[in-house]
Amino acid sequence: MAHQRDDARVMGTYARRRPVFVRGQGTVLFDADGEARLDFLGGLAVNALGHSHPEVAKAVCDQAATLQHTSNLFLTEPMLDLADRLAEVTGWDDAKVFFANCGATANEAAIKLARRHGKSIAADKVRIVTLDRSFHGRTMATLEATGQTEKHAPFEPLMGYVDTVAHDDPDAVTAAVTDQHCAVLLEVVQGEGGVRPIEPGVLAAARAACDARDALLIVDEVQTGMGRLGEWFGFQTTEVVPDVITLAKALANGLPIGAVVAHGPAADVFGPGDHATTFGGNPVTAAAAVAVIDTIRSQRLLDAAKVRSQRLTSAFDELARRHDLVGGWRGRGLLLGLELTQPCAPQVERAAEDNGLIVNAVGDDLVRFAPPLTVSNAEIATAITALTTALDEVAAA
Ligand code: PLP
């Protein structure tokens, strides 16, 4: 019934999966029949604290009952609290934040910031470099920055302001960044593009090229931020410090929010009227995000993410030894991809769902795992049992 209503009334941009969930608690999602499934996808790397976390629910309810919106003509305290928290967890004393509504609008803002920076140096310093197989969003500017040409085709012509280079070739990055480039935009682990950690040499080359050409290094932390890789931000698992990061997804554990955090000269690029959005810094979503940061801190969830990551990857190693369908794994922290030896990831996704485990297929031969940072060892054990059954079923089919 729900699927019929969806077909009739909602534009068909999503290939929906079968379950219709009505409730979530921690790592568990319940459908209308009360059937429970373990959510190891976390709303696409969003529910870092699991579903319906009490601290987030309380922050949202309290703020919604107090003040829901004023517009950016007026200051509100939750937004300032969140900006302070983001400065603390980036470790950037001089950080400044622009609040957006999602990942695409955070990246859109960062691209505008970079162009503003570039144009203050030279009129034609407006191009950006991105990496093949990257994903940065679906607005026109971020679609073009997304290094997946199959997603471009239906919407061409695009603006032609992006140069996309191989994701694993430091020399290609060095060569691509010219005086006409105002930024390099990249992910520390490509999420949608296949859970692929960036090679340290590529990251170092991007930093050096940006320094040499007075361009900004922007790290898209929409998927890797907020503890997902075991540190607050993905760049903190590397040797490289960007000028700008973009955030969304887990920032408010499921409420729509995005943010651009910049430090150094990049923090002061935007002036009045350069960028704006009606809902940016909304008190309810900002209060939720403050609760997320405070909970990650008080429950030491960065440490938990590292420990749970080890538990999960050990289980993947064991599966790779024992199961013909499993070749290995890649990723970092709690953003992991199980590599299959056959192009059967969609079948594994479906069989896992039938066995009570939500994960997702990325392409034909990779299954993505992004469980909450709060996931327990017992839940990991249950998930591995369900996954093993699913793999057995697909192998036998
Ligand atoms: N950047 C990255 C790395 C993402 O993974 C995503 C979404 O998957 C986005 C940007 C776009 O975020 P949103 O869907 O919130 O616009």
Side-chain angles (χ1 to χ4, degrees):
M1 184 61 182
H3 285 280
Q4 283 164 355
R5 291 172 66 197
D6 186 42
D7 289 345
R9 286 278 179 250
V10 182
M11 291 187 195
T13 57
Y14 301 103
R16 308 270 192 205
R17 289 171 60 170
R18 215 171 21 114
V20 179
F21 294 116
V22 296
R23 191 166 69 83
Q25 195 68 53
T27 314
V28 184
L29 281 167
F30 300 89
D31 66 18
D33 300 325
E35 193 177 329
R37 290 184 182 81
L38 272 179
D39 184 6
F40 270 52
L41 183 56
L44 290 168
V46 166
N47 303 107
L49 303 185
H51 295 280
S52 308
H53 192 280
E55 294 299 327
V56 180
K58 182 175 183 320
V60 169
C61 292
D62 288 352
Q63 186 59 45
T66 308
L67 181 68
Q68 294 182 2
H69 178 78
T70 60
S71 91
N72 278 307
L73 297 178
F74 305 98
L75 268 178
T76 54
E77 292 281 342
M79 180 197 75
L80 297 173
D81 292 342
L82 179 54
D84 283 344
R85 298 290 197 290
L86 288 172
E88 285 164 20
V89 295
T90 49
W92 296 339
D93 290 346
D94 58 345
K96 286 190 181 170
V97 184
F98 175 84
F99 289 108
N101 303 306
C102 64
T105 54
N107 284 330
E108 186 86 22
I111 291 165
K112 281 184 70 178
L113 186 150
R115 286 174 79 108
R116 195 81 171 84
H117 157 78
K119 283 174 80 77
S120 72
I121 298 168
D124 64 348
K125 195 174 176 62
V126 294
R127 304 188 65 77
I128 71 166
V129 170
T130 65
L131 302 186
D132 183 44
R133 304 317 295 165
S134 60
F135 186 85
H136 298 297
R138 302 281 193 160
T139 62
M140 288 305 290
T142 60
L143 174 68
E144 186 166 352
T146 291
Q148 302 183 32
T149 45
E150 68 278 12
K151 291 187 169 63
H152 297 179
F155 303 100
E156 282 167 350
L158 303 180
M159 286 176 280
Y161 79 104
V162 178
D163 296 296
T164 302
V165 299
H167 60 77
D168 54 358
D169 184 352
D171 294 341
V173 174
T174 306
V177 184
T178 71
D179 286 336
Q180 290 184 351
H181 289 88
C182 59
V184 175
L185 170 63
L186 50 77
E187 298 149 274
V188 163
V189 176
Q190 290 188 341
E192 303 306 300
V195 192
R196 195 180 292 107
I198 195 166
E199 290 183 15
V202 173
L203 196 54
R207 180 67 274 177
C210 286
D211 290 343
R213 303 285 183 173
D214 215 344
L216 300 177
L217 179 60
I218 306 171
V219 174
D220 178 342
E221 298 268 9
V222 167
Q223 191 150 163
T224 51
M226 304 307 291
R228 177 116 326 258
L229 304 191
E231 300 294 342
W232 281 106
F233 304 107
F235 82 83
Q236 293 164 336
T237 69
T238 76
E239 300 289 307
V240 163
V241 180
D243 302 295
V244 179
I245 59 172
T246 55
L247 304 173
K249 285 197 184 277
L251 182 53
N253 205 49
L255 274 79
I257 189 171
V260 179
V261 189
H263 70 132
D268 291 311
V269 166
F270 273 156
D274 279 341
H275 201 44
T277 174
T278 297
F279 290 127
N282 170 271
V284 179
T285 53
V290 168
V292 169
I293 292 175
D294 290 352
T295 304
I296 290 176
R297 275 176 162 160
S298 66
Q299 298 189 4
R300 306 182 65 81
L301 292 178
L302 300 183
D303 294 340
K306 292 189 194 95
V307 173
R308 301 294 184 253
S309 172
Q310 262 172 17
R311 177 72 66 136
L312 204 48
T313 54
S314 304
F316 289 165
D317 283 335
E318 178 65 18
L319 271 176
R321 278 192 291 274
R322 284 194 298 114
H323 211 290
D324 287 346
L325 274 186
V326 180
W329 60 270
R330 57 183 189 251
R332 208 174 279 165
L334 287 175
L335 181 56
L336 298 169
L338 189 72
E339 297 169 337
L340 305 178
T341 54
Q342 307 280 330
C344 59
Q347 291 92 319
V348 173
E349 172 190 290
R350 175 65 193 254
E353 184 178 295
D354 290 343
N355 283 285
L357 175 66
I358 302 292
V359 287
N360 91 312
V362 180
D364 287 341
D365 58 4
L366 193 89
V367 178
R368 175 172 42 178
F369 292 72
L373 314 185
T374 51
V375 68
S376 70
N377 286 338
E379 287 167 337
I380 290 175
T382 307
I384 293 299
T385 303
L387 176 67
T388 307
T389 308
L391 289 164
D392 289 344
E393 287 173 5
V394 172

